[in-house]
């Protein structure tokens, strides 16, 4: 057997090994119901419920943010993020969380916000005054 | 409707250039293709010349597009959507470039621009490779030009034109008016992009992306013409160039993220970062197999493959970042323009071309014959290239999950998408081993020879050198392990691999090439790689949040008390806060300029005994508000640089009252203000505090006050104390009257005492009344004359047309004269005053001035031009005796704090130095190869 063939076989073997082991790093998008069922770390996409309170008192604890999120299935639950509140949090149109359920709350380890309007304002500013 | 004031010509011209550029690229592609097919025939020169001509026309037309678009941006023609969305009247000129390539069309034009520059260089230098290489380059240009065509075929839009009019792209009531242009203003550039990185990063990165087409085209040309060896030499120089530039572009992106964005790092394994890194990795793999192929004749097929893949990955990266498919996996924001299908087509055509040629020519690629020796350099370099390829596959695979999800959902709409649990952890875990292998291989392979078959000849020396490097590597690892916070054995492996390649390559420079640095390109790159890995270990493992204070926060924390996550600290104004790492931080003050609010935070370090050390510095992170000052749109960090580490800070949050004006107003309204009054020197007592009025000022300063010409402003200087305390806090409430806008009051707060002090309409009335009640006395004077007034000598120095009065805002048709007065007191002190006489719209006005030092007030009352008599009204009165009403509220919520994140990055300079050395090595190798060409042509 030529060395090239040995390398090829080794490459394929390593590739398969990595693929199998890396598949454990993958999680699925879930809603609250599925997060409760799995009890595992999941990705969750939802929207901030704007008429429920956002709790952030930096004077008390600058690393505690709690709010309510509505998931894709319409279920609303409390979410706790152990970090500071991002500047444009209230304006977010979509929130992507990574975390797991702990009791009745979703403990998020990571949060990504989508605020497209931040980059593209779709309103025509009308001049308030001439000149 | 007939619209007023629109400039339609630039748009029509621009659109003409766009179409022309597309057609010329197509013509260039076809001509060069035919020239290549007839390269042995006499018609060759004719077709080639037509190709050149068409390509140059295409280049000029593209420059025309760029020029027209730039003109529209510079002239701020808001009738064009591109100008309206990206620039504004107050945007400084230097950011026009950023605005230009912020949008997809602009960045396609930038890409195209570099292709044209590279194409001209190839026309001049490529010789017999010109025709096939330019065929491919022109084909790519056809696709890129099509992205901005903006032609409609039924409902399908082919390309997105940068010259669309605003009123065509948007439906708004304002367009019902013929003079809509007088009523709209530009959106302006996102403040995040208003920095110099946005000016230099995209052009560099795009030159890097654009230049990957050259090795690709050479590879296609080699396969196409079945000349599998000759192309290797020019391709190598171009690949080294491309590697150096693309690497620089990626590095600039990292530096931008670290220096100017609040990501808190230089690399986050974000899909956008990954998709620009991956082509660089495959390109470097290609450079290595290219070297093998040039020196031994092995690995030609893999060189082809790597160069083809590199460009295809560049196209894939373009697709990922521009089609909007990354959606919720990236922190970067993109605007989707519906170019997805065109991008897929672009990618598909070039991928198919590469694949079909590569497989169809498989047999004709020459074999080097025997198998390479197990102790030869080419064998281990090839293994290294394979490891790099693995790295690229792994990163691409993980980054492509959103593409996979979309494909699956297309087949099965109920498919639930998959995503990485923790991308950073995932990538780090696998890439760590890639780096270990690369470190080991770059150390070992340097000491092997090409074409080695007799393993015994060199074995002795090889073993000796590798042992030296391993020994030095172990010593360096031990040394660095001392400061690195290593907690897992895998990191020891990585550290050793990095130190091993560093030692081996340093040894190579010293003992093998004997300091001949021209030959040291590869060694430099490998040393740079080792230093980079060490820097990554330092910043990754030793990165520490000093912005936490477990003690101060104890008992306040709700939920789980996970100390690792406490990354933010609350800093009250002027209250020193002890933090991790023996630091003490104090939020000193904030200042507002344009839309930027800058916070000064002083850091002091204590030694182990608790005494202050000399290490003290002030950092100035800032936040940027939108133009309405209603929200914060960017938080910019500030970093203290040391040789060994950086201290990085940014404001992660502000009080709600500082972010939301409505909330602030509601908060202000809910306060219970109580009326008081005071004259200068008076003390006001409230229930828990007392305040001393030190004085009035007509030039008040307030963080929110931006003086304008014509303002009448008035402020108090107060000191506030808690009862039974002697520590005073300054407070300076003010009010001002701005012509045609009205009066405004700006309250002052003393956060420490939770006090809020404001002036009211009553204060304003009192202040104006005081002015009116002055006992003025008219004194007729002539220029040069001196009069006595209340014991002061007042000289009328000059009637001056040059008005410097702070309350004077010039208007057309004004007639204004200032009386320059010089005042000297009996005790010898002097002062100056310049009251102004003004005729505006046939109405006389007088702008008073005063010599506050002496309590003297002057008005310029009248001018008699016939007799040359100038009447000055003078009064002496101290306003200090009069009481001014003001209002004070106690128990105001504190809004004088910031939430700060502060991170120490040890070894960050190793990251920069290592990367730069790596890229310098690539550039050095390219330079040597270009020189070699000149010295010995045909080699």
């Amino acid at each position: 057997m030529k060395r090239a063939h040995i390398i090829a076989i080794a490459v394929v073997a390593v590739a398969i090994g990595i693929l199998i082991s890396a598949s454990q790093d993958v999680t699925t998008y879930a809603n609250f119901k599925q997060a409760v069922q799995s009890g595992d770390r999941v990705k969750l996409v939802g929207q901030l419920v704007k008429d429920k309170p956002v709790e952030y008192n930096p004077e008390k604890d600058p690393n505690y943010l709690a709010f309510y999120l509505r998931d894709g299935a319409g279920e609303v639950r409390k979410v706790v993020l152990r970090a500071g509140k991002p500047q444009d949090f209230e304006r977010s149109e979509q929130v992507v969380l990574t975390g797991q359920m702990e009791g009745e709350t979703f403990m998020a380890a990571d949060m990504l916000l989508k605020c497209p309007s931040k980059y593209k304002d779709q309103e025509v500013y009308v001049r308030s005054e001439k000149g | 409707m007939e619209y007023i004031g629109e400039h339609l010509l630039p748009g029509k011209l621009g659109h003409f250039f766009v179409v022309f550029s597309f057609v010329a690229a197509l013509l260039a592609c076809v001509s060069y293709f035919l020239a290549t097919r007839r390269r042995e025939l006499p018609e060759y020169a004719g077709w080639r010349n037509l190709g050149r001509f068409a390509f140059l026309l295409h280049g000029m037309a593209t420059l025309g597009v760029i020029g027209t678009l730039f003109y529209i941006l510079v002239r701020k023609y808001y009738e064009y959507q591109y100008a309206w969305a990206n620039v504004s009247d107050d945007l400084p000129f230097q950011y026009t470039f950023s605005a230009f390539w912020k949008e997809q069309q602009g960045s396609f034009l930038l890409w195209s621009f570099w292709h044209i520059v590279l194409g001209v260089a190839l026309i001049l230098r490529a010789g017999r490779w010109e025709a096939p290489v330019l065929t491919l380059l022109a084909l790519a240009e056809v696709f890129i030009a099509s992205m901005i065509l903006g032609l409609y075929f039924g409902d399908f839009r082919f390309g997105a034109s940068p010259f669309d009019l605003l009123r065509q792209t948007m439906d708004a009531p304002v367009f019902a008016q013929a003079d809509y242009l007088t009523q709209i203003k530009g959106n302006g550039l996102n403040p995040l992009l208003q920095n110099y990185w946005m000016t230099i990063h995209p052009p560099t990165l795009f030159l890097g992306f654009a230049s990957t087409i050259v090795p690709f085209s050479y590879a296609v040309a080699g396969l196409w013409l079945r000349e599998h060896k000759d192309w290797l030499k020019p391709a190598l120089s171009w690949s080294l160039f491309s590697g150096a530039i693309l690497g620089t572009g990626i590095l600039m992106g990292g530096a931008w993220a670290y220096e100017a964005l609040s990501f808190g790092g230089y690399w986050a394994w974000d899909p956008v970062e990954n998709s620009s890194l991956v082509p660089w990795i495959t390109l470097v793999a290609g450079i290595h197999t290219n070297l093998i192929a040039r020196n031994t004749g092995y690995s030609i097929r893999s060189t082809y493959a790597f160069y083809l893949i590199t460009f295809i990955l560049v196209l894939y990266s373009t697709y990922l970042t521009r089609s909007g498919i990354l959606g919720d996996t990236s922190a970067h924001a993109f605007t989707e323009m519906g170019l997805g299908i065109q991008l897929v087509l672009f990618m598909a055509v070039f991928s198919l071309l590469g694949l079909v040629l590569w497989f169809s020519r498989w047999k004709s690629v020459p074999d080097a014959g025997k198998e390479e020796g197990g102790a030869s350099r080419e064998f281990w370099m090839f293994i290294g290239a394979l490891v790099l390829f693995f790295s690229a596959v792994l990163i691409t695979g993980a980054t492509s999950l959103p593409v996979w999800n979309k494909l699956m959902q297309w087949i099965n709409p109920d498919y639930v998408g998959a995503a990485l649990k923790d991308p950073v952890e995932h990538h780090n875990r696998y890439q760590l081993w890639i780096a270990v292998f690369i470190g080991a291989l770059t150390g070992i392979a340097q000491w092997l020879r090409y074409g080695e078959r007799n393993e015994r000849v060199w074995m002795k020396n090889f073993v000796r050198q590798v042992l030296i490097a391993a020994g030095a590597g172990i010593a360096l690892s031990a040394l660095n392990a001392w400061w690195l916070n290593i907690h897992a054995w895998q990191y020891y492996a990585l550290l050793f691999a990095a130190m091993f390649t560093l030692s081996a390559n340093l040894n190579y420079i010293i003992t093998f090439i004997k300091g001949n640095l021209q030959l040291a390109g590869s060694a430099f790159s490998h040393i740079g790689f080792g230093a980079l890995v060490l820097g990554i270990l330092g910043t990754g493992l030793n990165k520490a949040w000093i912005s936490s204070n477990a003690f101060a926060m104890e008992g306040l924390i709700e939920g789980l008390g996970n100390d690792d996550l406490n990354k933010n600290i609350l800093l009250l104004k002027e209250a020193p806060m002890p933090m991790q790492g023996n630091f003490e931080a104090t939020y000193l003050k904030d200042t507002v300029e344009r839309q930027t609010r800058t916070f000064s935070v002083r850091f002091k370090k204590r030694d182990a005994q608790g005494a202050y050390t000399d290490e003290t510095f002030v950092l100035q992170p800032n936040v940027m508000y939108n133009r309405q000052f209603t929200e914060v749109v960017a938080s910019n960090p500030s970093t203290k640089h040391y040789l060994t580490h950086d201290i990085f800070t940014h404001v992660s949050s502000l009080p709600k009252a500082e972010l939301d004006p409505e909330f602030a107003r509601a908060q202000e309204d809910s306060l219970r203000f109580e009326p008081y009054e005071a004259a200068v020197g008076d003390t006001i007592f409230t229930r828990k505090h007392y305040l001393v009025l030190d004085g009035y000022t007509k030039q008040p300063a307030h963080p929110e006050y931006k003086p304008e010409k014509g303002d009448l402003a008035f402020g108090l200087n107060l000191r506030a104390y808690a009862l039974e305390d002697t520590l005073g806090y300054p407070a300076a409430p003010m009010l001002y009257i701005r012509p045609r806008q009205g009066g405004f009051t700006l309250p002052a707060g003393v956060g420490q005492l939770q006090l809020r002090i404001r002036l009211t309409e009553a204060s304003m009335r009192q202040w104006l009344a005081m002015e009116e009640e002055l006992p003025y006395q008219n004194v007729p004077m002539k220029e040069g004359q001196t009069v006595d007034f209340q014991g002061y000598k007042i000289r009328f120095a000059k009637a001056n047309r040059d008005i410097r009065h702070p309350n004077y805002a010039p208007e057309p048709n004004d007639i204004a004269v200032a009386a320059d007065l010089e005042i000297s007191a009996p005790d010898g002190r002097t002062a100056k005053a310049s009251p102004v006489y003004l005729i505006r719209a046939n109405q006389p006005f007088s702008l008073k001035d005063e010599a506050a030092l002496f309590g003297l007030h002057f008005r310029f009352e009248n001018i008699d031009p016939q007799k040359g008599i100038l009447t000055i009204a003078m009064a002496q009165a101290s306003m200090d005796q009069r009481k001014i009403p003001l209002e004070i509220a106690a128990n105001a919520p504190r809004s004088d704090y910031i939430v700060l994140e502060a991170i120490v990055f040890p070894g960050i300079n190793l990251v920069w130095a290592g990367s730069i050395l790596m890229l310098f090595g690539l550039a050095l190798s390219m330079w040597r190869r270009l020189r070699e060409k000149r010295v010995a042509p045909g080699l």
Side-chain angles (χ1 to χ4, degrees):
Chain A
M1 198 155 67
K2 274 167 78 175
R3 193 181 285 118
H5 295 142
I6 299 174
I7 293 171
I9 291 167
V11 164
V12 171
V14 172
I16 291 171
I18 289 176
L19 203 64
I20 291 169
S21 98
S23 64
Q24 293 173 3
D25 288 358
V26 172
T27 175
T28 50
Y29 283 98
N31 51 33
F32 284 122
K33 201 173 152 201
Q34 290 157 332
V36 172
Q37 280 164 1
S38 81
D40 220 11
R41 206 171 205 208
V42 293
K43 274 229 177 229
L44 202 145
V45 185
Q47 286 167 326
L48 175 67
V49 182
K50 298 199 178 172
D51 49 8
K52 287 214 180 191
V54 173
E55 193 186 327
Y56 181 62
N57 294 315
E59 283 153 282
K60 248 170 122 187
D61 181 358
N63 294 296
Y64 181 90
L65 170 67
F67 56 93
Y68 288 86
L69 190 89
R70 177 176 289 113
D71 70 7
E75 192 178 351
V76 174
R77 271 183 192 266
K78 187 175 177 179
V79 175
V80 170
L81 177 73
R82 306 273 315 141
K85 188 176 74 148
Q87 311 276 16
D88 42 8
F89 181 65
E90 272 90 354
R91 295 188 71 226
S92 67
E93 295 191 345
Q94 199 184 56
V95 182
V96 185
L97 298 166
T98 315
Q100 68 276 320
M101 293 300 297
E102 276 179 20
E104 288 299 294
T105 33
F106 186 82
M107 296 298 288
D110 180 58
M111 179 165 79
L112 194 73
L113 297 178
K114 285 283 144 184
C115 312
S117 50
K118 177 168 155 188
Y119 298 91
K120 213 170 172 69
D121 270 323
Q122 284 297 1
E123 62 181 292
V124 182
Y125 288 121
V126 174
R127 282 180 207 266
S128 56
E129 59 195 284
K130 290 273 165 75
Chain B
M1 186 188 299
E2 206 42 54
Y3 290 102
I4 301 166
E6 286 185 335
H7 305 81
L8 298 179
L9 182 65
K12 285 182 179 146
L13 196 66
H15 196 68
F16 166 76
F17 281 137
V18 168
V19 176
F20 194 93
S21 143
F22 174 77
V23 174
L26 205 58
L27 179 64
C29 180
V30 172
S31 310
Y32 271 126
F33 176 79
L34 294 175
T36 310
R37 297 293 296 263
R38 288 160 177 73
R39 66 195 178 286
E40 311 293 344
L41 305 173
E43 305 103 274
Y44 166 74
W47 284 112
R48 184 202 59 191
N49 291 346
L50 183 60
R52 278 182 185 176
F53 177 68
F55 189 81
L56 292 179
L57 275 185
H58 162 72
M60 281 188 283
T62 306
L63 288 180
V65 178
I66 293 171
T68 316
L69 187 56
F70 206 74
Y71 177 78
I72 285 172
L73 293 183
V74 171
R75 297 300 298 265
K76 312 216 158 49
Y77 288 159
Y78 299 132
E79 52 269 46
Y80 294 95
Q81 194 271 341
Y82 208 90
W84 172 80
N86 297 309
V87 294
S88 58
D89 288 343
D90 58 355
L91 186 74
F93 175 77
Q94 70 263 30
Y95 298 131
T96 315
F97 295 97
S98 309
F100 181 89
W101 47 62
K102 183 201 143 198
E103 296 281 328
Q104 294 206 11
Q105 295 97 330
S107 59
F108 276 124
L109 284 168
L110 184 60
W111 191 0
S112 190
F113 171 79
W114 287 126
H115 271 170
I116 290 158
V117 171
L118 293 167
V120 171
L122 285 164
I123 289 175
L124 294 172
R125 295 201 58 137
R128 48 190 287 277
W129 290 101
E130 178 190 333
V133 169
L134 264 290
T135 308
L136 274 302
L137 190 58
L139 182 61
E141 281 298 280
V142 171
F143 278 98
I144 295 175
S146 78
M147 301 289 172
I148 57 168
L149 264 181
L151 296 178
Y152 285 83
F153 298 95
D155 278 343
F156 180 73
R157 189 187 60 171
F158 198 56
S161 168
F163 299 107
D164 283 345
L165 292 175
L166 181 61
R167 59 180 158 85
Q168 293 167 339
T169 55
M170 197 179 288
D171 216 7
V174 72
F175 299 122
Q177 296 163 34
D179 64 342
Y180 77 96
L181 269 178
T182 61
Q183 299 185 38
I184 61 169
K185 55 182 179 178
N187 249 342
L189 190 63
N190 180 347
L192 271 175
L193 304 179
Q194 290 187 29
N195 64 46
Y196 65 94
W197 290 108
M198 184 61 189
T199 314
I200 59 171
H201 167 65
T204 315
L205 190 67
F206 271 93
L207 177 56
F209 282 151
S211 59
T212 57
I213 199 176
V214 186
F216 174 90
S217 305
Y218 270 106
V220 169
L223 290 167
W224 184 5
L225 307 181
R226 294 187 175 81
E227 295 183 24
H228 299 298
K229 286 200 160 158
D230 285 355
W231 70 281
L232 289 165
K233 188 179 152 59
L236 181 58
S237 304
W238 280 105
S239 307
L240 288 164
F241 170 79
S242 187
I245 300 290
L246 183 55
T248 308
I250 296 169
L251 181 64
M252 278 179 176
W256 178 7
Y258 177 73
E259 278 295 322
L261 302 176
S262 50
F263 290 4
Y266 49 87
W267 194 261
W269 293 112
D270 189 275
V272 174
E273 298 167 352
N274 296 350
S275 67
S276 61
L277 176 68
V278 167
W280 186 80
I281 293 177
T282 54
L283 184 65
V284 170
I287 288 170
H288 285 83
T289 52
N290 194 340
L291 281 166
I292 298 172
R294 284 265 292 139
N295 284 293
T296 66
Y298 292 105
S299 296
I300 294 177
R301 285 191 193 102
S302 39
T303 310
Y304 275 131
F306 285 133
Y307 286 160
L308 295 177
I309 286 169
T310 299
F311 183 65
I312 292 165
L313 283 170
V314 165
L315 296 181
Y316 184 55
S317 147
T318 309
Y319 168 74
L320 285 181
T321 52
R322 288 160 194 262
S323 65
I325 197 164
L326 290 177
D328 45 44
T329 59
S330 168
H332 289 70
F334 306 100
T335 44
E336 201 192 340
M337 312 217 66
L339 294 176
I341 295 170
Q342 272 171 274
L343 288 163
V344 169
L345 196 68
F346 191 4
M347 198 161 55
V349 166
F350 277 79
S351 307
L352 269 177
L353 194 75
L355 267 175
V356 167
L357 272 171
W358 194 70
F359 281 107
S360 67
R361 297 292 191 266
W362 176 273
K363 284 252 165 66
S364 72
V365 177
D367 272 321
K370 279 175 37 185
E371 244 188 342
E372 58 265 72
S376 69
R377 187 186 260 197
E378 60 269 27
F379 176 69
W380 292 102
M381 264 171 83
F382 178 72
I383 297 290
L386 268 189
V387 172
L388 286 176
F389 182 62
F390 248 134
S391 162
V393 169
L394 281 172
I395 301 173
T396 308
T399 310
S400 300
L401 277 174
V403 180
W404 170 256
N405 290 343
K406 187 157 190 177
L407 273 177
M408 293 304 285
Q409 274 153 5
W410 187 50
I411 299 166
N412 167 20
D414 294 331
Y415 179 78
V416 183
L420 286 176
K421 277 182 205 161
D422 185 346
V424 174
E425 198 266 342
H426 166 84
H427 287 294
N428 283 346
R429 187 146 43 88
Y430 287 100
Q431 298 305 317
L432 183 145
W433 291 108
I434 302 283
V436 169
F437 280 116
I438 295 297
L441 290 168
T442 49
I444 292 169
Q446 201 67 284
W447 292 98
L448 294 167
R449 289 196 309 179
Y450 284 121
E452 185 65 68
R453 307 213 160 268
N454 191 342
E455 288 156 21
R456 260 173 231 135
V457 179
W458 266 53
M459 203 39 110
K460 219 168 152 189
N461 186 42
F462 170 74
V463 169
R464 190 171 70 219
Q465 299 297 353
V466 168
L467 283 179
I468 289 172
I474 288 170
L476 283 174
S477 301
L479 211 63
N480 282 304
W482 181 63
W483 69 276
L484 286 171
N485 179 20
I486 295 181
H487 48 77
W489 65 273
Q490 289 92 335
Y491 295 116
Y492 282 109
L494 182 60
L495 176 62
F496 172 73
M499 292 303 100
F500 171 69
T501 187
L502 199 135
S503 319
N505 282 282
L506 205 59
N507 184 17
Y508 178 78
I509 292 178
I510 297 165
T511 57
F512 190 76
I513 55 175
K514 307 216 166 17
N516 182 357
L517 296 183
Q518 280 189 38
L519 302 173
S522 68
F524 277 142
S525 286
H526 298 153
I527 292 172
F529 175 76
L532 170 63
V533 169
L534 181 61
I536 292 171
L537 277 169
T539 52
L541 296 174
N542 286 34
K543 175 178 175 180
W545 273 265
I546 55 171
S547 49
S548 69
N549 183 331
F551 183 72
M553 296 295 153
E554 203 174 14
L556 294 175
I557 292 170
E558 299 175 32
L560 295 171
N562 189 346
D563 284 352
D564 297 343
L565 292 167
N566 294 338
K567 295 170 177 174
N568 300 288
I569 199 162
L570 182 104
L571 298 180
L572 290 163
K573 200 169 195 171
E574 286 165 19
M577 175 64 113
M579 303 197 306
Q580 295 288 310
N582 289 328
F583 276 105
E584 180 187 286
T586 315
Y587 161 35
L588 298 176
K589 59 166 183 174
D590 63 322
T591 48
V592 178
E593 206 192 320
R594 279 185 76 210
Q595 281 133 261
T596 307
R597 182 157 160 209
T598 307
F599 303 91
S600 298
V601 182
R602 186 184 60 215
F603 284 79
K604 278 184 169 178
K605 184 150 186 162
R606 293 172 189 268
D607 60 21
Q609 279 74 45
Y612 286 118
T613 61
D614 291 344
E615 193 179 336
T616 174
F617 52 90
V618 174
L619 288 177
Q620 300 192 304
N622 67 46
V623 298
M624 292 175 97
Y625 289 88
N626 64 355
R627 274 189 298 174
Q628 292 76 32
F629 264 90
T630 49
E631 62 180 310
V632 169
V633 292
S635 168
N636 297 315
S638 172
T639 305
K640 171 78 178 167
H641 299 281
Y642 291 95
L643 188 62
T644 53
H645 64 281
D646 276 3
I647 295 171
F648 168 98
T649 61
H650 81 105
V651 174
S652 50
S653 195
L654 287 171
K656 197 174 181 196
E658 302 288 340
L659 297 173
D660 183 349
E662 270 175 49
F663 180 82
R665 220 169 293 133
Q667 198 176 62
E668 194 82 20
D669 290 347
S670 71
L671 290 177
R672 287 204 10 222
F673 279 97
E674 289 178 25
Y676 294 87
E677 56 175 27
V680 172
D682 282 0
T683 302
I684 306 167
F685 285 91
T686 69
R687 261 171 300 242
K688 285 195 256 167
H689 310 96
Y690 64 99
L691 297 95
V692 179
L693 178 56
D694 284 337
Y696 305 138
T697 172
K698 293 192 177 176
Q699 271 103 40
H702 191 281
E704 284 163 39
Y705 176 57
K706 284 173 284 290
E708 275 184 20
K709 282 274 185 189
D711 282 0
L712 282 174
F714 172 68
L716 302 184
N717 287 323
L718 292 149
R719 270 174 298 139
Y721 298 83
L723 290 176
E724 295 150 22
D725 199 350
T726 53
L727 181 63
Y729 300 96
M734 64 165 286
L735 54 81
Y736 64 98
I737 303 170
R738 182 159 289 173
R740 286 187 296 279
Q741 290 188 24
F744 301 89
T745 177
L746 296 171
V750 181
Q752 289 89 342
L753 305 176
Q754 296 191 281
L755 281 180
R756 201 96 175 128
I757 305 143
R758 72 181 181 197
L759 298 175
T760 60
E761 242 182 285
S763 330
M764 195 184 312
R765 275 201 303 274
Q766 178 67 13
W767 166 51
L768 293 173
M770 286 188 327
E771 292 283 350
E772 278 164 18
E773 287 165 15
L774 286 170
Y776 279 107
Q777 198 178 320
N778 280 354
V779 181
M781 296 180 82
K782 288 191 170 175
E783 237 177 315
Q785 194 190 350
T786 305
V787 296
D788 271 338
F789 181 75
Q790 312 275 10
Y792 296 92
K793 290 211 180 319
I794 292 154
R795 193 175 99 85
F796 196 119
K798 197 178 156 213
N800 196 345
R801 287 271 182 172
D802 179 20
I803 314 294
R804 301 269 167 85
H805 198 284
N807 297 345
Y808 177 66
E811 280 188 15
N813 305 324
D814 275 1
I815 300 171
V817 183
D820 287 353
L821 305 175
E822 292 168 5
I823 304 110
S824 49
D827 58 7
R829 290 184 298 169
T830 59
K832 283 183 177 176
S834 298
V836 174
Y837 183 72
L838 165 68
I839 297 174
R840 176 171 292 170
N842 294 323
Q843 289 283 321
F845 293 94
S846 170
L847 299 176
K848 66 160 289 191
D849 200 8
E850 61 185 80
L853 185 62
F854 308 129
L856 288 174
H857 303 257
F858 300 97
R859 296 167 62 91
F860 194 169
E861 285 295 323
N862 197 11
I863 299 180
D864 186 340
Q866 263 89 44
K867 297 181 186 155
I869 291 177
L870 312 148
T871 307
I872 305 289
M874 304 181 189
Q876 187 186 27
S878 170
M879 301 197 336
D880 294 357
Q881 307 335 313
R882 301 297 298 265
K883 284 188 186 287
I884 291 278
L886 67 159
E887 290 186 345
I888 300 172
N891 296 326
R894 295 201 71 159
S895 59
D896 59 331
Y897 64 81
I898 55 174
V899 178
L900 191 81
E901 183 171 26
I903 312 171
V904 176
F905 281 100
I908 182 79
N909 283 334
L910 282 166
V911 172
W912 308 135
S915 314
I916 291 169
L917 194 60
M918 204 153 81
L919 302 172
F920 171 74
L922 286 171
L924 183 67
S925 304
M926 177 191 74
W927 179 74
R928 186 174 71 85
R929 271 163 216 287
L930 290 177
R931 245 171 65 100
E932 186 182 66
K933 200 177 283 177
R934 242 173 284 149
V935 176
L939 193 89

